Amino acid sequence: MTKQFSRRDLLKTAGAGAVALAAGSALGRKAWAARETELNILCWEGYNSAQVLDPFRQSKGATVKAESLTNDPTMINRLRAGETNVWDLINVNNPWARKIMYPEKLIKPLDRARFEPYFDKMMPAFKPPYRWAMSDDGKELLGMCQRFGPYSFVVNTDKVSRATAEDQGWDLWNDAANAGKYGVLESDDWNVFNICLIAGFDPFREHNDAEVAKFTEAAKRVFKGAKVVGDIATMNQALISGEINFHMTGGTYSASPARADGNLNIRGVTPKKGPMAGGKGGVSWIEVTSTVNNPQLSPLATQFLEYVQHPEVAHTVAFAEGTFNPVAQMANPDCFKLFTKEELDAIQWDSLEEEMNASIEYDIVPDYDKLLDIMTAAKREASGG
């Protein structure tokens, strides 16, 4: 039987609803107020450094938390899994904001009038509107740029000269005589790129069955012939000790700590030729840092993006603990003058422009999941797992 509601019942219900609404609104305001002194950053190593974060924490009286990962797809999958309500900023490589995160509503655009002028003080390649920082239609600014660099492989020039490495390029891994003389840095997405290049084709497009077969064969051979598989510190130590002569993946980002310690024979190399557009064989990366589509986005997110543009902070970001990298703000004389000769040597400033010009910018591999599964199986097989 359906209960009939009197006018008094309706008024009581309405009153209770108003109280609940007011309580909910108050809780919302309280939660929002709490976020005014809280900032959460999902990033590559460097932005999580106390050297970068502590001055910002102190100036804002804020609680700033940063988590560092070494793989873009993993970070983006965290947002897809619901962590848009956790993070305020995400720092990943160049294609993800434009091609994936903005179309999937994982990030929010920035105020162009407020942020685009910062690009005018960056290196010429970043002058606005910089393609990777913009939406596909060119209307929305999706993030800010800072660190970048070439990232192909690293050699000990006492064992393999820069000229030889540039000329042979990815065929170093196709030479059976080099088995047991190289290492593989654990970096899934980059290693997928490079095994494609070793196999002789462009990573950044769909691949046919014949190419997948070549990739499978190359992946098995590369991991079987690796003397060492490990992280950046492991690779640099193996290079310095003479245990290996070269390693993939690598570049300024990975070689710079060893070079900063005076080991200038450890050098990132960009091949002079390869199977990508324009006959290029190198790959470069450019980070784009974006505001997450967090329903309670901290107002500190955009303030942090401005903070790291300051010349002194940009220099700190370039040489934050961990790895060292060039930054787009080095075009600003007030920033560039802060770099010592030793720091410029560590980041291979002498060949930076040449190597960036010889590289294709990091992009998305359409059949990445399939190739990653093949590579992971090859790695497991080589390790006896």
Side-chain angles (χ1 to χ4, degrees):
M1 182 180 188
T2 303
K3 180 181 177 182
Q4 299 295 312
F5 282 91
S6 68
R7 182 171 177 274
R8 178 176 293 181
D9 290 330
L10 289 170
L11 288 172
K12 284 168 65 178
T13 303
V19 169
L21 185 62
S25 179
L27 285 171
R29 286 195 301 272
K30 186 175 180 181
W32 183 259
R35 300 246 56 223
E36 291 179 356
T37 56
E38 176 184 296
L39 178 66
N40 297 326
I41 306 170
L42 190 60
C43 59
W44 281 81
E45 141 180 82
Y47 288 104
N48 62 330
S49 165
Q51 297 166 276
V52 175
L53 297 179
D54 280 353
F56 187 79
R57 288 177 175 127
Q58 291 158 11
S59 68
K60 303 294 181 182
T63 299
V64 182
K65 297 177 182 176
E67 182 177 342
S68 168
L69 296 175
T70 57
N71 185 288
D72 294 325
T74 299
M75 286 194 257
I76 291 157
N77 284 337
R78 295 267 295 264
L79 298 189
R80 286 171 169 155
E83 292 188 22
T84 48
N85 63 355
V86 173
W87 304 105
D88 300 295
L89 291 171
I90 182 168
N91 161 248
V92 289
N93 284 301
N94 46 284
W96 299 101
R98 177 187 178 99
K99 292 189 172 183
I100 299 296
M101 293 193 295
Y102 183 61
E104 293 186 18
K105 297 181 171 55
L106 298 174
I107 58 173
K108 292 180 176 180
L110 297 172
D111 180 348
R112 288 186 68 170
R114 178 178 174 184
F115 284 98
E116 212 162 60
Y118 288 107
F119 285 85
D120 289 323
K121 292 186 177 182
M122 297 183 192
M123 292 178 177
F126 296 91
K127 296 300 182 189
Y130 176 59
R131 180 169 77 104
W132 290 116
M134 302 300 296
S135 60
D136 243 352
D137 60 11
K139 293 180 180 179
E140 302 289 357
L141 179 63
L142 303 181
M144 297 299 290
C145 298
Q146 190 150 50
R147 301 186 298 186
F148 68 97
Y151 205 57
S152 294
F153 59 86
V154 176
V155 302
N156 176 343
T157 56
D158 291 342
K159 301 292 183 70
V160 181
S161 72
R162 176 185 171 189
T164 296
E166 287 178 340
D167 289 341
Q168 290 194 18
W170 298 108
D171 280 338
L172 283 170
W173 278 266
N174 290 322
D175 185 346
N178 286 328
K181 296 180 181 179
Y182 62 83
V184 176
L185 176 65
E186 290 184 306
S187 183
D188 285 347
D189 47 351
W190 286 92
N191 288 339
V192 166
F193 303 167
N194 292 343
I195 291 172
C196 288
L197 294 168
I198 291 166
F201 54 83
D202 187 337
F204 305 119
R205 58 167 174 74
E206 290 280 357
H207 303 110
N208 59 36
D209 290 345
E211 288 169 333
V212 172
K214 288 180 181 179
F215 180 93
T216 303
E217 187 276 329
K220 289 180 178 180
R221 179 164 35 81
V222 165
F223 281 100
K224 184 178 179 181
K227 180 73 177 291
V228 181
V229 178
D231 60 13
I232 287 174
T234 301
M235 292 299 115
N236 282 332
Q237 184 55 45
L239 285 169
I240 292 166
S241 70
E243 185 179 3
I244 60 174
N245 297 345
F246 54 95
H247 81 78
M248 67 168 239
T249 299
T252 305
Y253 175 82
S254 63
S256 55
R259 292 178 63 83
D261 285 341
N263 301 290
L264 298 182
N265 57 320
I266 309 304
R267 186 175 187 94
V269 169
T270 300
K272 285 190 172 179
K273 62 183 183 300
M276 296 182 288
K280 294 183 178 182
V283 183
S284 63
W285 56 274
I286 304 97
E287 289 178 340
V288 177
T289 305
S290 304
T291 49
V292 174
N293 190 14
N294 187 326
Q296 293 185 339
L297 182 71
S298 170
L300 294 179
T302 50
Q303 294 174 41
F304 184 83
L305 289 179
E306 291 182 310
Y307 160 75
V308 296
Q309 298 296 317
H310 296 164
E312 297 81 4
V313 182
H315 174 257
T316 301
V317 168
F319 273 80
E321 59 190 335
T323 65
F324 312 130
N325 303 280
V327 290
Q329 291 73 25
M330 292 174 78
N332 180 349
D334 290 335
C335 182
F336 188 81
K337 71 183 182 182
L338 301 174
F339 288 80
T340 66
K341 178 186 182 301
E342 291 74 21
E343 288 174 337
L344 294 174
D345 284 343
I347 62 174
Q348 299 181 205
W349 181 255
D350 61 325
S351 61
L352 179 64
E353 184 176 0
E354 174 189 349
E355 295 192 61
M356 290 297 289
N357 288 338
S359 299
I360 294 291
E361 294 166 336
Y362 179 119
D363 211 337
I364 295 170
V365 178
D367 47 358
Y368 174 76
D369 289 344
K370 178 201 296 183
L371 299 183
L372 176 62
D373 286 346
I374 293 169
M375 187 186 77
T376 302
K379 179 180 173 183
R380 189 181 303 118
E381 180 182 319
S383 66

